[in-house]
Amino acid sequence: MIAVFVNMMAVLIGSLVGLIFKNKLSKKYESPVFIAAGIISLTIGISMAITTKHILIFAISIMLGGIMGTFLKVEEKIEHFGEFLKNKFTLKENSGNFALGFLTSSILFCSGSMSILGSFQAGTQGIYDLIFTKSVIDGFVAIFMSTVYGVGVTFSVISILIYQGILTILSSFLEPYVSETMLIEVSAVGGATVMMIGINLLKMAKIKTGDFLPALIFAVLLVLLIPYINFL
């Protein structure tokens, strides 16, 4: 679990640095900061999404994931959890910004293939290089995101602990089922959700990104079905 804790510390330090800048940021600089964060998110998302090798898996996952997430009200539940954390820790920050910060940063830090592969390497082989590299990247991203969304980004370490912690602990059991194809397709679908974050930051549309998180599950299931369904 050492790799998970290193990743958490990197995000924690990065977000605290961002909060310092946020408190000193003049109102006139808020717009360029939002635009910069939006462009960064779009760039990361596109670079992840274009790696897909099975466009049908990508398309079906996003479509079914969005429908299921909307039905289950995933984003609404995450916002309620964010409000619970805000109240639990008696934070005065606007609950909407807190929940958005928690949701947005959690997706950014957990949606890529580096999270999965890095956790497996750490859990089964004791190799931490990939997670350490991811930690450096996440730390810098956390600086930008916390200047936009505030302290909610800091609490995304909970998501990292749960998500990467579970993957690390269960890595020896899950590793035989995780192929290179699955890593690519899950990362591509994750990239689509990161693109949605960028679109929201640039105020091009208002997308409930959290409602599309089930798309990651559909990507996994569809990859497992490839040997049985030829057109995938």
Side-chain angles (χ1 to χ4, degrees):
M1 290 287 287
I2 185 172
V4 177
F5 295 132
V6 168
N7 202 168
M8 291 170 62
M9 285 302 301
V11 170
L12 179 63
I13 293 171
S15 61
L16 291 177
V17 171
L19 287 173
I20 294 172
F21 281 105
K22 177 181 174 64
N23 293 332
K24 296 182 178 180
L25 197 66
S26 171
K27 284 287 183 182
K28 68 179 180 179
Y29 296 118
E30 286 187 1
S31 178
V33 168
F34 266 82
I35 292 172
I39 294 297
I40 291 168
S41 298
L42 271 179
T43 303
I44 294 173
I46 291 171
S47 66
M48 291 167 63
I50 62 175
T51 60
T52 182
K53 305 296 183 184
H54 297 270
I55 193 63
L56 276 177
I57 289 178
F58 178 83
I60 295 171
S61 297
I62 300 264
M63 184 69 70
L64 294 181
I67 292 171
M68 175 174 281
T70 300
F71 175 76
L72 297 175
K73 298 180 179 179
V74 173
E75 177 144 326
E76 183 178 322
K77 289 179 172 62
I78 294 174
E79 287 177 350
H80 287 162
F81 181 60
E83 189 170 351
F84 165 77
L85 290 175
K86 179 179 75 72
N87 294 331
K88 184 72 174 178
F89 292 90
T90 61
L91 299 170
K92 297 180 180 179
E93 184 167 344
N94 178 275
S95 60
N97 285 339
F98 184 98
L100 277 175
F102 175 74
L103 168 65
T104 301
S105 52
S106 294
I107 293 172
L108 279 170
F109 300 144
C110 298
S111 63
S113 59
M114 291 180 75
S115 296
I116 302 173
L117 186 57
S119 297
F120 284 173
Q121 286 185 343
T124 59
Q125 302 172 350
I127 299 175
Y128 306 130
D129 294 0
L130 196 56
I131 287 292
F132 287 168
T133 301
K134 176 181 178 294
S135 299
V136 173
I137 296 171
D138 288 352
F140 281 104
V141 172
I143 295 174
F144 280 97
M145 298 311 297
S146 58
T147 58
V148 173
Y149 286 118
V151 72
V153 176
T154 307
F155 281 80
S156 64
V157 297
I158 297 173
S159 301
I160 295 173
L161 175 63
I162 295 172
Y163 180 69
Q164 290 184 188
I166 290 175
L167 286 178
T168 301
I169 293 171
L170 298 179
S171 57
S172 58
F173 172 75
L174 295 174
E175 191 177 27
Y177 303 98
V178 178
S179 62
E180 182 180 357
T181 299
M182 184 178 292
L183 288 173
I184 290 172
E185 299 310 319
V186 169
S187 182
V189 171
T193 61
V194 175
M195 288 171 62
M196 294 175 193
I197 291 171
I199 291 170
N200 284 337
L201 284 167
L202 294 172
K203 298 180 180 179
M204 298 167 64
K206 176 58 180 174
I207 303 173
K208 292 186 176 182
T209 312
D211 286 345
F212 285 85
L213 290 179
L216 298 169
I217 298 173
F218 280 106
V220 171
L221 296 176
L222 289 171
V223 168
L224 292 175
L225 288 175
I226 286 178
Y228 309 102
I229 303 177
N230 292 331
F231 66 82
L232 291 177

